[in-house]
């Protein structure tokens, strides 16, 4: 009898596990909104791993440039991956490109997609307006995800009626090369949605890490204060930009120094993330914490970035 009971319990347990897994969305069709560097990269890796992709942006010209950039990136990948078999490399490129279609009308293409990944400008109002509109046209099962690097996912999801099917998928630049994806689960994100996105990122060949919906998530929460302190070190005259970069590359083993990284990320993007941190201090630090962001990200530090950024035409928004 005990044996029969144990068998029954194991059977029920296995059935429950199988049932839970069956409820997960297997992402096959992906719609990427935004044909910029990040959006094009996400579209590329999704198409290269067997997904059908629709890349959406405002104009055909933008989409043509995006598609050209994807093809060039794919050929670089193929040259390395199929070094001894160029024909197979050409076939890989053509097959991947054939899996990517484009559109200037997001609402018309989301009705049959499994996942919408948004990679547009870092502006809450713009993101809210986009998702509010798409929410009316997307299928009930469709998952929405934002690639925002700093905005709170909850604030974006609130524009829709599918908060349980909404999460953050923060990829890193360049998407085809960077293995990390931060999967952001809000208090409203369902376990089914979360697990579906974890599975999706793994299929892409990425390494997902999980984080709550906290400002900056994991990487930027740690990275931005480091970059700001590098600027503070430089503005005090303690060391040159070049020596600070060299010190961190040779002493800490970083591939880029903080100023090289600031140039790569973009001072405008960095400044935007700093502003988001400032606005969300109450989520990030204890009231009596002496390491307040008001101290770390001083007005003068932000002014330095603004000054450098104001020389866009001459400096190309860079330190170097």
């Amino acid at each position: 009898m005990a044996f029969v009971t144990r068998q029954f319990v194991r059977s029920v347990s296995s059935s429950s596990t199988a049932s839970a897994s069956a409820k997960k969305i297997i992402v096959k069709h992906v719609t990427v909104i935004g044909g910029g560097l990040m959006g094009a990269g996400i579209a590329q890796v999704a198409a290269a791993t067997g997904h059908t992709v629709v890349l959406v942006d405002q104009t055909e010209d933008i989409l043509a440039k995006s598609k050209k950039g994807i093809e060039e990136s794919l050929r670089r990948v193929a040259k390395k991956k199929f070094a001894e078999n160029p024909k197979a490399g050409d076939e890989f490129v053509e097959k991947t490109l054939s899996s990517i279609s484009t559109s200037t009308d997001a609402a018309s293409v989301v009705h049959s997609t499994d996942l919408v990944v948004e990679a547009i400008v870092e502006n809450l109002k713009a993101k809210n307006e986009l998702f509010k509109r798409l929410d009316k046209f997307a299928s009930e099962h469709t998952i929405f995800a934002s690639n925002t690097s700093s905005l709170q996912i909850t604030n974006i999801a609130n524009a829709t009626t599918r908060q349980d099917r909404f999460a953050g998928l923060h990829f890193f630049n360049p998407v085809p090369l960077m293995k990390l994806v931060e999967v952001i689960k809000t208090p409203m994100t369902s376990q089914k949605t979360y697990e579906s996105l974890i599975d999706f990122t793994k299929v892409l060949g990425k390494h997902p890490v999980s984080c709550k919906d906290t400002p900056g998530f994991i990487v930027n929460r740690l990275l931005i204060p480091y970059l700001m302190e590098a600027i503070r070190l430089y503005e005090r005259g303690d060391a040159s930009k070049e020596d600070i970069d060299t010190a961190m590359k040779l002493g800490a083993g970083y591939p880029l120094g903080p100023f090289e990284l600031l140039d790569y990320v973009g001072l405008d993007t960095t400044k935007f993330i700093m502003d988001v941190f400032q606005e969300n201090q109450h989520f990030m630090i204890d009231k009596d914490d002496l390491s307040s962001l008001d101290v770390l990200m001083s007005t003068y530090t932000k002014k330095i970035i603004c000054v450098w950024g104001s020389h866009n035409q001459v400096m190309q928004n860079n330190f170097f």
Side-chain angles (χ1 to χ4, degrees):
M1 183 65 180
F3 172 76
V4 173
T5 302
R6 284 195 298 272
Q7 286 288 86
F8 175 75
V9 170
R10 280 198 293 268
S11 177
V12 170
S13 177
S14 298
S15 297
S16 298
T17 302
S19 176
S21 298
K23 291 180 181 178
K24 289 191 290 185
I25 299 296
I26 298 176
V27 177
K28 296 180 179 179
H29 306 287
V30 182
T31 299
V32 180
I33 313 294
L37 202 59
M38 295 303 294
I42 295 167
Q44 176 183 325
V45 296
T49 49
H51 300 86
T52 301
V53 179
V54 180
L55 181 61
V56 180
D57 213 308
Q58 295 177 323
T59 70
E60 293 293 349
D61 286 344
I62 294 174
L63 290 169
K65 291 177 182 177
S66 300
K67 204 77 182 287
K68 182 180 179 182
I70 291 172
E71 181 175 358
E72 291 172 352
S73 176
L74 284 170
R75 294 203 180 282
R76 287 194 296 271
V77 172
K79 189 175 181 180
K80 291 182 179 180
K81 188 175 181 180
F82 301 95
E84 297 180 3
N85 191 349
K87 184 179 179 180
D90 290 338
E91 292 173 354
F92 164 75
V93 172
E94 294 306 317
K95 182 179 179 181
T96 302
L97 289 174
S98 69
S99 297
I100 304 174
S101 59
T102 60
S103 175
T104 56
D105 185 2
S108 68
V109 298
V110 297
H111 62 280
S112 60
T113 195
D114 300 315
L115 172 65
V116 173
V117 182
E118 167 271 311
I120 66 171
V121 62
E122 284 286 79
N123 180 286
L124 180 60
K125 182 180 179 182
K127 293 179 189 292
N128 281 345
E129 289 176 353
L130 172 69
F131 279 118
K132 184 177 182 180
R133 180 164 179 260
L134 297 185
D135 194 34
K136 300 174 183 177
F137 296 94
S139 172
E140 184 178 350
H141 82 281
T142 302
I143 296 172
F144 283 179
S146 175
N147 182 57
T148 180
S149 60
S150 55
L151 295 173
Q152 285 197 285
I153 302 300
T154 301
N155 291 339
I156 306 173
N158 284 341
T160 74
T161 59
R162 62 181 75 211
Q163 289 94 336
D164 61 321
R165 286 152 287 158
F166 206 116
L169 275 184
H170 182 212
F171 291 80
F172 291 81
N173 185 36
V175 178
L177 299 180
M178 299 295 280
K179 289 293 185 181
L180 184 67
V181 177
E182 292 177 320
V183 181
I184 314 305
K185 184 178 181 183
T186 77
M188 299 169 289
T189 305
S190 70
Q191 188 65 18
K192 170 184 172 180
T193 296
Y194 167 74
E195 291 180 1
S196 298
L197 292 177
I198 290 290
D199 289 349
F200 171 67
T201 57
K202 289 180 178 178
V203 171
L204 296 183
K206 303 301 183 184
H207 190 117
V209 294
S210 303
C211 185
K212 291 183 179 179
D213 191 18
T214 184
F217 314 135
I218 298 173
V219 173
N220 281 332
R221 185 70 166 267
L222 298 173
L223 179 63
I224 297 301
Y226 155 70
L227 296 177
M228 294 308 98
E229 189 57 30
I231 294 175
R232 296 286 299 279
L233 193 67
Y234 170 63
E235 77 184 31
R236 289 194 302 265
D238 295 336
S240 68
K241 300 187 301 291
E242 293 79 7
D243 282 352
I244 292 171
D245 277 356
T246 298
M248 294 311 296
K249 287 189 288 186
L250 299 184
Y254 291 2
L256 295 175
F259 289 97
E260 292 172 323
L261 186 56
L262 280 162
D263 284 351
Y264 185 77
V265 171
L267 301 186
D268 52 344
T269 300
T270 305
K271 170 67 164 54
F272 181 84
I273 297 172
M274 289 169 61
D275 289 340
V276 171
F277 281 13
Q278 288 281 74
E279 293 166 5
N280 291 277
Q281 286 190 62
H282 55 293
F283 290 114
M284 301 176 66
I285 57 175
D286 295 331
K287 184 172 64 176
D288 299 324
D289 191 346
L290 295 179
S291 64
S292 165
L293 289 176
D294 277 328
V295 175
L296 181 62
M297 297 178 184
S298 67
T299 301
Y300 188 59
T301 304
K302 293 172 74 174
K303 183 179 178 182
I304 289 290
I305 280 192
C306 288
V307 169
W308 281 102
S310 69
H311 297 297
N312 284 352
Q313 298 83 358
V314 180
M315 303 285 298
Q316 296 182 333
N317 206 19
N318 291 340
F319 277 102
F320 294 112

